[in-house]
Amino acid sequence: MMKVADFLKAGCEVTILFADLHGYLDNMKAPWELLQLRAQYYEAVIKAMLKSLEVPLEKLKFVKGTDYQLSREYTLDVYKLSSIVTDHDARKAGAEVVKQVAHPLLSGLLYPALQALDEEYLKVDAQFGGVDQRKIFMFAEKYLPQLGYKKRVHFMNPMIPGLTGDKMSSSDPDSKIDLIDGPAAVKKKIKKAFCEPGNVTNNGLLSFAQFVIFPYLGKQEFEIKRKEEHGGNVNYATIEALTEAYRTEEVYPLDLKNSVAEYINQLLAPVVAEFQSKELKKLSSQAYPPISTKGAKGAPLVEAEIDISRIDIRVGKIVEITAHPDAESLYVEKIDVGEEEPRTVISGLRHFVPMEQLEGALVAVVCNLKPANMRGIKSQGMLLCASDSDHKTVEVLRVPVGSIPGERITGDMYTSDPDKQLNPKKKIFEKVQLELSTNASLEVTYKGEHLKTSVGPITAPSIKNAVIR
């Protein structure tokens, strides 16, 4: 994406091809019914990323392969290519790109031919890709002239090793950073990354620093922040200097991990924020629907560990609040939690917090409890509050200003998808609640991990070592 930004800044006209048909042919990586949705998803992600880099988008366009690859002319050219391309050349061209299996399908052998023809049908002067595309590029240079089409220029980018030390893979989420990964997910992945002391070979973090962070920083230096007793802060003007410092162990793995995670989150923050909108959240869930973990009779195959990742806690904004008509201790709140309509939530705060203090406030809301009737009105969530041990003082938790309604609240080490709805018989929330409290700095923690949004930590106004309920 950084190189695409360079092309656009240089004034080039850039066409990004969503090779939807290719994706299906490559061992059916993408189901037909999801191709259109995934093209829309990636267009939104790419635009958000480029806008965050302040890149002009006037000369950028997106094309789907199926917009032209099913035409009569294109199909005829595929047949023409199939009459001159050998099985050996087709296999060789796709060896690093097409998924290799013991008994390959004919569709995989067509993949290089389609990518070669794309150059002609998109009317481009050059094609850009990773070095793993080089054999397909050579294939195109050999065969396009045999159909009477001109040879194109080919640009290649080095392949960044995955976070595991091997090749980045879409089937291994821990090997890569997704463009809409939140701060907690980024930190968790970076924390687990392969990063041996002094090892600069296949070091995904150093490669990411070289090809993403240093170009992003421009003339700014790469800063490693650490305590004075660990050497203090240190800056590096070039990737060579940083690599040498890591090789000689002047920079330790934790130093590098912390800095890379901070820069990645800084880079992705505008993208993550944009994808908090209702429309893009809906598109994300449609393009990549959650994988079912149900057995034949609908029972979970494996019972997930009980921790706060099971709880769907979101940023909410109270848009309306009234007194409950039939209970003097209850409020009825309408809370925006990032869905199409605000949720109705009943809270027992009437004797503790003035109504005017709650109206318009950002709050933390548990959103996957089973709805419950409270004096004739169904409550669709629960406001999280801090309380002293004898429940005489109750305070609504503070969510940092700038947090977006619907954004998830959790800790760095607890980023798994929450349950759709908690089973009340299993007392999951009640068990998690036992580990929730505020610390001496008033920050809400779970087993020592701070709960936070992308903006900052969740806090209590004044109660230290509070019970969270």
Side-chain angles (χ1 to χ4, degrees):
M1 199 54 59
M2 302 302 293
K3 191 55 64 178
V4 171
D6 288 343
F7 289 144
L8 289 168
K9 287 178 179 178
C12 298
E13 295 180 354
V14 176
T15 299
I16 292 180
L17 172 64
F18 294 129
D20 47 1
L21 187 56
H22 296 225
Y24 183 79
L25 292 179
D26 184 6
N27 211 35
M28 294 180 284
K29 281 183 179 177
W32 274 111
E33 60 271 16
L34 294 181
L35 293 176
Q36 179 75 19
L37 289 167
R38 290 189 177 176
Q40 294 174 22
Y41 168 82
Y42 284 116
E43 180 172 344
V45 169
I46 291 169
K47 283 181 175 178
M49 183 76 261
L50 291 173
K51 283 193 290 185
S52 78
L53 297 171
E54 300 182 350
V55 175
L57 302 183
E58 293 79 14
K59 294 189 175 182
L60 173 67
K61 69 176 180 178
F62 297 90
V63 176
K64 295 195 302 293
T66 47
D67 289 343
Y68 62 90
Q69 289 169 346
L70 301 177
S71 68
R72 179 181 181 278
E73 296 76 16
Y74 189 92
T75 303
L76 184 58
D77 274 342
V78 172
Y79 284 131
K80 287 179 181 178
L81 267 183
S82 68
S83 71
I84 58 177
V85 174
T86 65
D87 170 79
H88 171 270
D89 282 2
R91 288 174 183 268
K92 181 180 178 182
E96 295 184 53
V97 177
V98 178
K99 188 172 183 178
Q100 300 300 297
V101 294
H103 302 286
L105 299 174
L106 178 60
S107 59
L109 299 178
L110 289 174
Y111 191 108
L114 268 61
Q115 187 166 334
L117 286 173
D118 290 339
E119 297 180 348
E120 173 62 27
Y121 280 80
L122 291 172
K123 302 302 178 186
V124 297
D125 299 309
Q127 184 177 175
F128 168 68
V131 293
D132 60 339
Q133 304 274 334
R134 62 188 182 277
K135 292 180 181 178
I136 292 182
F137 291 167
M138 294 302 295
F139 176 95
E141 292 183 17
K142 176 179 179 180
Y143 284 107
L144 280 188
Q146 294 185 42
L147 295 183
Y149 299 138
K150 69 178 183 179
K151 188 185 299 186
R152 265 67 178 191
V153 173
H154 295 109
F155 300 123
M156 288 177 281
N157 230 21
M159 298 296 289
I160 298 177
L163 298 178
T164 58
D166 298 317
K167 184 178 179 181
M168 214 175 284
S169 171
S170 59
S171 62
D172 183 0
D174 288 335
S175 73
K176 61 188 177 69
I177 300 293
D178 290 324
L179 290 178
I180 59 171
D181 275 344
V186 169
K187 288 181 179 179
K188 185 175 181 180
K189 289 180 179 181
I190 296 297
K191 189 173 183 178
K192 294 166 62 177
F194 173 78
C195 195
E196 287 182 338
N199 186 349
V200 298
T201 304
N202 289 329
N203 188 319
L205 299 185
L206 283 175
S207 294
F208 204 93
Q210 178 177 359
F211 296 110
V212 178
I213 296 174
F214 271 93
Y216 166 67
L217 291 175
K219 294 182 180 180
Q220 296 180 51
E221 294 187 342
F222 186 102
E223 182 180 20
I224 290 194
K225 298 177 182 178
R226 54 192 181 188
K227 295 179 180 179
E228 287 299 326
E229 58 264 35
H230 296 146
N233 295 353
V234 60
N235 290 1
Y236 296 94
T238 65
I239 184 60
E240 291 79 13
L242 175 61
T243 301
E244 179 60 17
Y246 190 81
R247 188 188 67 79
T248 58
E249 299 188 33
E250 294 174 25
V251 170
Y252 294 101
L254 186 60
D255 299 334
L256 183 61
K257 287 182 176 186
N258 288 341
S259 294
V260 168
E262 184 174 341
Y263 281 122
I264 291 175
N265 281 329
Q266 183 179 322
L267 181 61
L268 296 185
V271 184
V272 173
E274 186 159 339
F275 267 75
Q276 294 301 316
S277 72
K278 296 175 184 177
E279 296 79 9
L280 292 181
K281 288 174 78 171
K282 181 178 179 181
L283 176 60
S284 297
S285 63
Q286 289 176 327
Y288 288 93
I291 298 171
S292 175
T293 58
K294 301 292 183 182
K297 295 183 180 180
L301 297 176
V302 179
E303 176 67 26
E305 181 179 353
I306 294 179
D307 60 41
I308 200 164
S309 65
R310 303 275 300 269
I311 314 300
D312 184 8
I313 307 174
R314 300 185 213 165
V315 175
K317 182 176 182 179
I318 299 177
V319 295
E320 180 184 321
I321 181 169
T322 57
H324 195 296
D326 298 319
E328 62 178 20
S329 64
L330 302 180
Y331 284 135
V332 180
E333 298 112 354
K334 296 288 186 181
I335 304 180
D336 178 6
V337 291
E339 298 170 339
E340 291 186 7
E341 298 291 335
R343 290 197 183 198
T344 299
V345 177
I346 311 298
S347 67
L349 295 173
R350 201 159 158 187
H351 295 324
F352 299 101
V353 184
M355 185 181 294
E356 57 271 17
Q357 187 176 321
L358 290 172
E359 193 160 9
L362 290 176
V363 291
V365 185
V366 179
C367 292
N368 60 343
L369 297 172
K370 185 177 180 179
N373 283 314
M374 299 185 71
R375 296 290 185 94
I377 300 176
K378 183 168 286 188
S379 181
Q380 300 169 307
M382 183 177 73
L383 271 178
L384 285 181
C385 299
S387 168
D388 58 11
S389 57
D390 54 10
H391 200 59
K392 289 184 177 179
T393 303
V394 178
E395 301 173 337
V396 176
L397 296 183
R398 285 179 174 169
V399 174
V401 175
S403 301
I404 300 171
E407 180 181 357
R408 190 175 178 196
I409 297 170
T410 189
D412 287 349
M413 300 303 294
Y414 300 97
T415 57
S416 302
D417 290 338
D419 291 17
K420 186 173 182 181
Q421 185 178 98
L422 296 174
N423 185 340
K425 293 181 180 179
K426 295 188 177 181
K427 305 291 183 184
I428 294 170
F429 177 75
E430 290 80 358
K431 293 173 183 177
V432 169
Q433 187 180 21
L434 296 174
E435 303 283 353
L436 284 169
S437 64
T438 57
N439 60 20
S441 301
L442 301 176
E443 296 164 326
V444 178
T445 67
Y446 173 76
K447 293 185 177 180
E449 286 284 332
H450 295 89
L451 298 194
K452 52 190 170 182
T453 70
S454 59
V455 178
I458 308 301
T459 59
S462 67
I463 307 175
K464 299 177 181 178
N465 302 314
V467 176
I468 305 300
R469 59 180 85 201

